Amino acid sequence: MATASPPQRSPLMTPSFLLAADLKARYRPQREWVEGRGLFLIVAHFLSGAGAAAWLLAVPLNGPPGLVVGWVLVALSGLAHLAFLGKPARFWRMARRPHSSWISRGLLGLAVFLLSGGGFLGLAWLGQGGSALGQGLFWLSLLGAAWLLVYKGFVWASAKGIPLWNTPLVPILYLVYGLRGGLAALLLVALAQPRAGELAAMETLKLWLGLSSALLVLVYVAVMRGTGLTAAASVRALLRGQAAAVFYLGVVLLGLVWPIALGAYALATPVSGVVLASVGLTSLLGDLALLYAVARAGLYRPLPA
Amino acid sequence: MRLGMVIDLKKCIGCYGCAAACKAENATPPGVLWCRVVKVESGTYPQVRRISVPLQCNHCGDPECLKVCPTGATFKHENGIVDIDHELCVGCRYCMMACPYQARTFQHQVLGYFPGGLTPYEQRGYQRHQEGTVSKCNFCLPRLERGLEPACVANCMSRARIFGDLDDPTSEVARAIREKGAQPLYPELGTDPSIFYIAP
């Protein structure tokens, strides 16, 4: 008696087949860090940057609510990292090579931050935040947060296969965008529980960071355009190709134009909480869009050379 | 000892025999190409030229994939072969971003070539592959251990591939590099590749 064969996906629909097609292209796009489960990596790096910056900036700007939000964002980034991995149950093995791998260094920073930050929040909840242990954990968490903010740019910049990322500008760009994300998260937190003078300070800082990041994006695009044929092809993909829609709508409009325009307006005239909330939200979306667009525009060097 | 290869592009006829032999030897699933052949056209009509360039892992002396691997899954044998321990790989794909030679493939799903499930050959061959990990050429290490050449070398009908010890100045591969001026791909990146090409 004939048995029914199990349903099977056509090999033509698999990412592997897509890869085989990409290999024929002069400039092959990287897909693993931006498509399918690769999207989790983009989200993870966005959350870890915003969360770490929120933790650092909460100290002078917002206080305990900002610390909690920062820690939660970083914890979520850990989950997003796990969702990205092909073998998530083996994640702990990624801490084995901090002497050469930025991912190992990042995992150690994440562990230090989550443990020390979580410990501090727990002690603070019990009213022991000011104790020697609490303060020790707090200072350790600040180091962990600073490390988290810095490391992810180096993860991308150390990828020699993709010239668009393989530049010292990427760590600077991602550091500034991490700070922007953290500040935007704190802005949203502050809107929920406003305190005197807090919003004005954040708005000024936000505007300054917005202008700085706009300048950095311009410098990055201009420099990479002249760095080599592959980097120039990536810039074309960013400005006119597969990443253009996200770049113009997400990075430029939502992430730069809207927050900067409203930030400048808010300095001159008091604006409503809803408007400020839109600045925070669009700024966050813009930060996420930048990570996505730069990943999407990543092209390998052509083979043969 | 450092194993390496010279590929003579003057002799390569672009038959894809190496790619097919690699697939047959290593039972790589659909879309996973440890060895591939790229056709390159240059010039304008009527002065047009088309060459075939076989590509695979370059088993670099200073491999970027090894540096960025966070688990140590990518490692180097004493004979210079860069290999992957699939039990250690977490599937972060950092090595794929770092490798300038696009030699690595992430195995999303190990599928069969034919409808109706895996063939007995696939069932046996796929035991070497793990979903959610990265894979690449290992110069057919199991064949080398049996005293055989890599499948791509043994099956090259035009004898365009020469395999051997780069450190031995008397080996055929070392002589070919020295006498025919073979060059690696992207030497300026400092990865010190072990695959050299004789220009067409």
Side-chain angles (χ1 to χ4, degrees):
Chain A
M1 191 172 76
T3 54
S5 55
Q8 201 181 27
R9 266 177 74 192
S10 162
L12 298 181
M13 300 301 290
T14 63
S16 300
F17 191 84
L18 204 56
L19 165 75
D22 283 346
L23 291 174
K24 294 177 188 164
R26 172 86 178 139
Y27 294 105
R28 174 189 157 201
Q30 77 82 19
R31 295 185 186 276
E32 295 297 342
W33 276 15
V34 78
E35 286 183 8
R37 284 163 68 177
L39 282 171
F40 282 114
L41 181 72
I42 307 290
V43 172
H45 278 185
F46 162 69
L47 290 174
S48 71
W55 182 275
L56 287 171
L57 294 171
V59 180
L61 290 176
N62 183 257
L67 292 178
V68 173
V69 167
W71 192 87
V72 168
L73 288 177
V74 174
L76 288 175
S77 91
L79 293 178
H81 273 108
L82 287 180
F84 160 71
L85 292 177
K87 296 282 184 189
R90 302 174 181 173
F91 83 93
W92 52 272
R93 289 184 169 145
M94 292 195 299
R96 291 177 57 172
R97 293 178 57 87
H99 55 284
S100 70
S101 173
W102 278 101
I103 285 187
S104 284
R105 294 167 190 163
L107 178 65
L108 290 173
L110 188 74
V112 166
F113 175 76
L114 285 178
L115 292 174
S116 58
F120 170 74
L121 288 177
L123 285 174
W125 186 64
L126 295 170
Q128 299 295 314
S131 66
L133 177 63
Q135 286 304 297
L137 287 174
F138 179 67
W139 283 102
L140 196 58
S141 71
L142 288 181
L143 283 176
W147 186 245
L148 278 182
L149 199 54
V150 169
Y151 99 93
K152 68 174 176 175
F154 287 98
V155 169
W156 296 80
S158 60
K160 264 195 180 170
I162 311 220
L164 182 69
W165 309 342
N166 191 213
T167 163
L169 283 173
V170 163
I172 302 169
L173 187 67
Y174 284 12
L175 171 67
V176 171
Y177 264 81
L179 286 170
R180 274 173 48 115
L183 199 57
L186 288 186
L187 185 65
L188 292 173
V189 174
L191 282 169
Q193 289 180 316
R195 290 191 303 188
E198 188 183 42
L199 284 176
M202 279 190 195
E203 264 311 300
T204 311
L205 197 56
K206 189 96 192 72
L207 180 61
W208 186 84
L209 272 174
L211 289 168
S212 307
S213 49
L215 185 66
L216 257 176
V217 170
L218 272 175
V219 169
Y220 176 59
V221 169
V223 168
M224 295 321 290
R225 205 173 190 170
T227 299
L229 290 175
T230 313
S234 281
V235 170
R236 280 198 299 279
L238 197 63
L239 302 181
R240 299 198 297 271
Q242 63 263 35
V246 174
F247 181 75
Y248 289 115
L249 286 176
V251 180
V252 177
L253 190 63
L254 288 179
L256 295 173
V257 174
W258 182 256
I260 290 172
L262 276 184
Y265 182 69
L267 279 185
T269 315
V271 293
S272 70
V274 176
V275 174
L276 286 179
S278 79
V279 170
L281 277 175
T282 55
S283 187
L284 282 172
L285 285 173
D287 301 350
L288 182 60
L290 178 96
L291 288 174
Y292 178 86
V294 172
R296 169 59 80 191
L299 301 173
Y300 287 100
R301 285 183 171 82
L303 285 175
Chain B
M1 184 184 206
R2 182 179 169 193
L3 294 173
M5 194 181 287
V6 166
I7 300 175
D8 190 343
L9 298 182
K10 285 191 181 104
K11 290 183 178 174
C12 178
I13 58 171
C15 67
Y16 298 97
C18 49
C22 174
K23 279 211 155 283
E25 177 66 31
N26 297 296
T28 52
V32 178
L33 300 166
W34 290 1
C35 172
R36 63 188 195 271
V37 181
V38 175
K39 307 282 180 173
V40 183
E41 289 175 11
S42 60
T44 52
Y45 179 83
Q47 301 295 325
V48 182
R49 195 174 194 202
R50 190 168 194 242
I51 59 164
S52 304
V53 183
L55 297 167
Q56 64 198 73
C57 173
N58 278 251
H59 297 280
C60 302
D62 190 12
E64 285 299 316
C65 54
L66 191 147
K67 283 185 212 163
V68 301
C69 177
T71 65
T74 295
F75 67 101
K76 212 168 173 184
H77 292 280
E78 281 183 1
N79 56 14
I81 292 177
V82 179
D83 207 349
I84 299 173
D85 182 344
H86 293 285
E87 295 303 320
L88 286 179
C89 181
V90 290
C92 69
R93 290 157 267 180
Y94 200 5
C95 52
M96 294 177 68
M97 302 301 133
C99 173
Y101 306 106
Q102 304 164 37
R104 293 171 166 244
T105 311
F106 182 69
Q107 305 201 139
H108 288 270
Q109 198 178 4
V110 179
L111 291 171
Y113 275 89
F114 307 101
L118 299 180
T119 63
Y121 166 77
E122 287 167 338
Q123 284 173 17
R124 186 171 170 195
Y126 286 6
Q127 288 172 7
R128 283 179 275 172
H129 306 288
Q130 270 193 38
E131 282 182 6
T133 62
V134 171
S135 70
K136 68 164 197 74
C137 156
N138 62 359
F139 271 160
C140 289
L141 194 58
R143 282 177 63 93
L144 297 181
E145 286 165 353
R146 300 201 307 270
L148 300 169
E149 290 180 310
C152 56
V153 179
N155 288 279
C156 180
M157 69 170 84
S158 59
R159 297 199 179 278
R161 290 173 180 259
I162 309 165
F163 182 74
D165 183 4
L166 298 174
D167 286 344
D168 177 4
T170 62
S171 68
E172 193 183 355
V173 69
R175 277 191 287 118
I177 292 169
R178 200 169 51 240
E179 292 165 10
K180 296 183 179 174
Q183 293 291 324
L185 288 174
Y186 287 122
E188 68 273 21
L189 295 178
T191 53
D192 190 16
S194 297
I195 294 196
F196 294 77
Y197 292 87
I198 296 172

